[in-house]
Amino acid sequence: MNTKNANNMMNTKNTNTTKKANFTRSKELFAEASRFMPGGVNSPVRSFKAVGREPVFIKRADGAYLFDEDGNKYIDYVGSWGPAILGHNNTVVKDALRAAMENGLSFGAATEAELTMAKLLCAAVPSLEMVRMVNSGTEAVMSALRAARGFTGRDKIIKFAGCYHGHADATLVKAGSGLLSGASPDSAGVSASTAAGTLVAGFNSLDSVTALFERHKQKIAAVIVEPVPANMGVVLPEKGFLEGLRDICTAEGALLIFDEVITGFRLAFGGAQELFNITPDLSCFGKIIGAGLPVGAYGGRREVMELISPLGPVYQAGTLSGNPLAMAAGIAQLGFLRDHPELYRQLETEAGRLFSGLNEIIRKKKAADACVINSIGSIGSIFFTGENVRDFTSALKSDTKRYAAYFSYMLDNGVYVAPAQFEALFVSASHGKNEIDFTLERADEFL
Ligand SMILES: *Cc1c(COP(=O)(O)O)cnc(C)c1O
């Protein structure tokens, strides 16, 4: 890793301590925040509710580290849920932001930066012929689904149980154990009629997809999938699954949508679709492409994207879409990734040491009947179950109480992992041997 701040982080060796952290200031802030914001937070997973704790309030972040309001320091494996692939507070990104800021914050008019971003995205991801910038992953997915409906003239979509595609109404459906039955919403406030348009199949089960196409002939506009799900914990596609989806969609005249909001620019520069060599019709991005600013994008086949307004009848707009600061940050991060392809090998090496280290600990402690690791590239999950986790049903076998205890132990000892079992662990280019070793020592103490 050759950014300046990453090099600085090399000198932090052994400055972590294992003494119990003090959370006084975070507790005060949380008590007050809870009076003004639902649950004290602006996004639920930050609340630590799933692990039975109160959240820590973060003051700043640098490289692989988070620092909270009480002065505690953590090795961070959340990375803002993915955007911080180069590590926090990256110099390249910050310099680009500062320069852009000098020219003004938002114009509500066309800019060259948007063109630069669009060209970068299309060059990186072969299936992208045209792209539209939005402000979040949720918006990207919502808009891609609308485009798919507009293109096919069909109403229904298929998603997979356990895959998360943002909080738009149509995607807040998982059906849980009611696989293949009528979908019901996961959230209050989603109308039954909206939920009924979302059919739910089982990840890694092509049969469940085929059955839905048979039952809803000529009604299905698209199949949307996280090519590597990271929102039920990390689950790997089995051999032939993604290829099978491609074939089914082609045969049925439905669009295949890859939600690469996490996997894009992470599993490879060209995302999961490059890694697995599959060409989706549409793809959704977010997280990494904004480098920490609120950004999303969707794009794909020209004939589909040409239906988007103002060219075509599928309406989609955004006051701050393609915002100059967001574009500057994204262009800087993506440009850096493009110009340093060796980073992906480095990420895999460091993350590989973490995941194989965890596996080694599990073997050594003969804990394999209670603990499995799923990982690919720089993301992975530890599931507290002895079963192979290959879909939502098997992921749900995890002992979430045990995960909560693991989370608490790690947090109290300087390691910030996802505050929920069904989330990924993100390794950044700022995580080096010191950070991985420290993490493995703490995990060894707990497991
Ligand atoms: C985070 C995420 C989203 C939603 O993105 P937001 O920016 O939070 O709206 C959509 N899909 C996947 C796969 C995600 O991980």
Side-chain angles (χ1 to χ4, degrees):
M1 179 64 210
N2 24 12
T3 61
K4 287 177 215 152
N5 56 313
N7 287 335
N8 292 342
M9 294 320 292
M10 296 299 170
N11 303 323
T12 55
K13 188 180 177 185
N14 295 335
T15 52
N16 287 285
T17 61
T18 54
K19 74 171 168 20
K20 281 269 178 189
N22 167 23
F23 300 107
T24 311
R25 185 64 187 140
S26 279
K27 275 187 172 307
E28 286 169 7
L29 288 168
F30 184 57
E32 199 174 8
S34 299
R35 289 171 43 218
F36 292 96
M37 297 184 276
V41 292
N42 281 312
S43 193
V45 76
R46 290 175 207 167
S47 76
F48 288 17
K49 211 173 160 185
V51 287
R53 296 261 310 227
E54 290 187 1
V56 292
F57 279 59
I58 302 302
K59 187 170 191 171
R60 66 184 187 90
D62 200 39
Y65 291 86
L66 291 177
F67 301 84
D68 73 13
E69 293 283 352
D70 288 288
N72 301 307
K73 174 183 179 183
Y74 310 93
I75 300 171
D76 178 27
Y77 287 102
V78 174
S80 188
W81 301 101
I85 189 168
L86 298 178
H88 292 287
N89 210 11
N90 180 271
T91 312
V92 174
V93 174
K94 277 200 306 190
D95 287 349
L97 263 176
R98 262 193 222 100
M101 200 158 63
E102 289 304 317
N103 291 328
L105 304 185
S106 175
F107 317 126
T111 61
E112 185 172 356
E114 293 165 274
L115 170 63
T116 305
M117 183 66 152
K119 285 164 70 179
L120 235 169
L121 291 171
C122 291
V125 184
S127 74
L128 295 187
E129 293 175 334
M130 293 182 109
V131 69
R132 168 66 60 89
M133 300 308 302
V134 292
N135 304 293
S136 68
T138 295
E139 243 188 284
V141 168
M142 185 181 81
S143 310
L145 292 174
R146 186 183 302 145
R149 290 190 173 106
F151 180 74
T152 58
R154 302 174 181 180
D155 282 348
K156 292 186 187 296
I157 60 153
I158 293 178
K159 76 176 284 289
F160 294 90
C163 282
Y164 179 67
H165 301 294
H167 65 92
D169 284 6
T171 49
L172 280 183
V173 179
K174 73 163 186 295
S177 57
L179 208 66
L180 293 180
S181 66
S184 59
D186 262 353
S187 164
V190 174
S191 71
S193 60
T194 298
T198 301
L199 309 169
V200 181
F203 193 76
N204 277 328
S205 167
L206 288 175
D207 287 348
S208 69
V209 177
T210 308
L212 287 172
F213 271 104
E214 270 165 23
R215 193 180 308 174
H216 301 274
K217 280 198 192 312
Q218 306 292 318
K219 295 270 166 50
I220 295 167
V223 173
I224 184 162
V225 66
E226 291 181 73
V228 176
N231 287 289
M232 50 176 139
V234 171
V235 173
L236 304 186
E238 289 166 3
K239 205 168 164 37
F241 177 66
L242 296 173
E243 291 83 351
L245 291 183
R246 178 63 280 177
D247 292 345
I248 294 170
C249 286
T250 303
E252 298 286 347
L255 299 188
L256 177 62
I257 306 177
F258 271 14
D259 180 348
E260 297 230 40
V261 171
I262 283 181
T263 54
F265 300 90
R266 179 168 285 278
L267 297 189
F269 189 58
Q273 53 195 277
E274 176 189 313
L275 188 65
F276 295 110
N277 194 23
I278 312 269
T279 307
D281 299 290
L282 295 176
S283 306
C284 304
F285 298 90
K287 297 185 174 130
I288 286 179
I289 68 166
L293 273 75
V295 175
Y298 68 102
R301 276 165 64 187
R302 183 174 302 279
E303 56 189 323
V304 181
M305 294 306 290
E306 282 182 346
L307 294 179
I308 307 298
S309 53
L311 260 192
V314 176
Y315 194 73
Q316 191 271 307
T319 301
L320 293 176
S321 294
N323 169 269
L325 297 188
M327 294 305 94
I331 290 165
Q333 174 145 290
L334 296 185
F336 191 88
L337 289 170
R338 178 198 55 207
D339 298 342
H340 297 82
E342 74 281 3
L343 267 183
Y344 288 96
R345 281 192 300 278
Q346 183 205 314
L347 276 169
E348 272 183 35
T349 305
E350 293 305 329
R353 266 167 9 87
L354 175 67
F355 297 125
S356 59
L358 287 170
N359 271 320
E360 186 50 42
I361 292 168
I362 291 167
R363 243 194 320 275
K364 187 181 77 187
K365 304 210 164 177
K366 304 197 179 1
D369 58 343
C371 221
V372 295
I373 308 283
N374 279 359
S375 73
I376 178 168
S378 56
I379 54 174
S381 290
I382 180 165
F383 292 96
F384 288 97
T385 167
E387 260 181 53
N388 175 22
V389 176
R390 60 181 293 274
D391 59 12
F392 195 40
T393 309
S394 44
L396 287 178
K397 300 252 164 80
S398 303
D399 180 348
T400 52
K401 287 209 176 64
R402 179 100 174 120
Y403 186 87
Y406 165 73
F407 169 82
S408 264
Y409 185 84
M410 298 304 271
L411 188 81
D412 290 341
N413 291 287
V415 183
Y416 190 102
V417 296
Q421 166 71 85
F422 305 110
E423 303 285 358
L425 189 151
F426 296 87
V427 176
S428 83
S430 292
H431 289 75
K433 186 171 186 306
N434 295 336
E435 287 76 26
I436 305 294
D437 287 349
F438 182 90
T439 306
L440 288 172
E441 284 162 24
R442 303 292 80 74
D444 195 8
E445 287 158 11
F446 177 82
L447 290 172

